[in-house]
Amino acid sequence: GQNIDQPTEMTATEGAIVQINCTYQTSGFNGLFWYQQHAGEAPTFLSYNVLDGLEEKGRFSSFLSRSKGYSYLLLKELQMKDSASYLCAAYQAGTALIFGKGTTLSVSS
Amino acid sequence: DVKVTQSSRYLVKRTGEKVFLECVQDMDHENMFWYRQDPGLGLRLIYFSYDVKMKEKGDIPEGYSVSREKKERFSLILESASTNQTSMYLCASSRTASRVETQYFGPGTRLLVL
């Protein structure tokens, strides 16, 4: 079957580092996306991993292990504006993205 | 910049009404998608289309239909709206079906069915 798991909620303080984990089980896996969604807004693309390893993009990094069915999104130097939902999505070849339920991150000062 | 627009941000309809949600993208993308997003359930795919006049069922197509007469426009139709279709509806598009491509989302339509 298809399944994407990520924590429902996380909290952190400004300036800290937070890691949001995602595990997946899909057939025909062909890559892992992370999206950010602020309350009441559309999801926006953050990162895409298809090969094992770490992809760094400024304060955000994303990691993938295909053999373990595992990914994480690492956010450094947290800012208040990083308070949002973070959506993990696995791409199945020939179909569409399968989304997790999202992790709501609250950043406090 | 890719732009995906949706016809309404907020919509209130009555049970049994026929509802049309329109989505337009301006980047000549082949793929278009309709999702609904509900608290605790995340984003769920209703239908998608990879070409004009083509459509594929997603995970929850029941109670919905779609239309894609032009490449840039993808419509979601609720034939007879019901209260359990109250939700946030998100449209997305991506460039091509031949390889993995980022999906770009519209701003969403928050539908309330009374």
Side-chain angles (χ1 to χ4, degrees):
Chain A
Q2 306 168 143
N3 199 37
I4 311 268
D5 282 319
Q6 52 182 129
T8 305
E9 292 179 338
M10 298 184 72
T11 59
T13 53
E14 265 189 307
I17 299 172
V18 71
Q19 178 174 312
I20 303 174
N21 296 324
C22 171
T23 58
Y24 63 89
Q25 288 178 305
T26 63
S27 55
F29 175 78
N30 205 15
L32 197 292
F33 285 83
W34 283 96
Y35 281 81
Q36 180 190 59
Q37 186 178 25
H38 286 101
E41 297 182 11
T44 55
F45 169 77
L46 285 179
S47 68
Y48 168 64
N49 295 67
V50 63
L51 300 176
D52 284 359
L54 189 68
E55 296 272 348
E56 296 187 77
K57 197 184 289 186
R59 293 189 299 114
F60 292 7
S61 304
S62 56
F63 171 84
L64 178 68
S65 168
R66 295 176 70 119
S67 61
K68 295 181 179 176
Y70 168 69
S71 172
Y72 66 73
L73 181 69
L74 192 71
L75 294 77
K76 301 176 187 174
E77 301 168 18
L78 279 173
Q79 302 174 10
M80 298 292 284
K81 68 178 181 180
D82 297 330
S83 291
S85 285
Y86 291 87
L87 312 179
C88 170
Y91 185 80
Q92 275 190 280
T95 60
L97 288 177
I98 302 165
F99 282 86
K101 294 177 183 178
T103 300
T104 300
L105 174 66
S106 299
V107 180
S108 58
S109 56
Chain B
D1 273 356
V2 175
K3 193 163 186 187
V4 181
T5 56
Q6 295 182 228
S7 50
S8 306
R9 290 300 303 270
Y10 301 94
L11 212 51
V12 181
K13 296 291 181 181
R14 297 214 174 270
T15 302
E17 278 193 78
K18 190 168 186 176
V19 182
F20 292 87
L21 302 182
E22 298 280 323
C23 175
V24 177
Q25 49 91 7
D26 67 356
M27 285 301 292
D28 201 35
H29 282 180
E30 292 181 359
N31 300 337
M32 296 188 75
F33 308 85
W34 275 107
Y35 295 89
R36 64 178 282 178
Q37 187 173 33
D38 302 287
L41 297 176
L43 274 162
R44 293 180 293 166
L45 181 65
I46 305 171
Y47 268 98
F48 67 101
S49 167
Y50 51 87
D51 201 353
V52 175
K53 297 193 185 295
M54 305 299 287
K55 61 184 179 184
E56 294 282 343
K57 290 180 181 179
D59 299 319
I60 51 163
E62 297 78 20
Y64 303 95
S65 61
V66 290
S67 171
R68 192 158 181 209
E69 296 296 319
K70 294 184 178 180
K71 192 174 185 178
E72 67 271 19
R73 189 178 299 269
F74 192 35
S75 302
L76 180 70
I77 304 151
L78 287 66
E79 294 289 342
S80 178
S82 63
T83 55
N84 63 13
Q85 292 178 309
T86 291
S87 187
M88 168 70 97
Y89 289 88
L90 288 159
C91 174
S93 72
S94 66
R95 190 165 53 173
T96 176
S98 60
R99 61 175 187 270
V100 179
E101 294 280 350
T102 302
Q103 287 188 20
Y104 297 90
F105 286 84
T109 296
R110 195 169 289 279
L111 173 67
L112 173 62
V113 182
L114 299 174

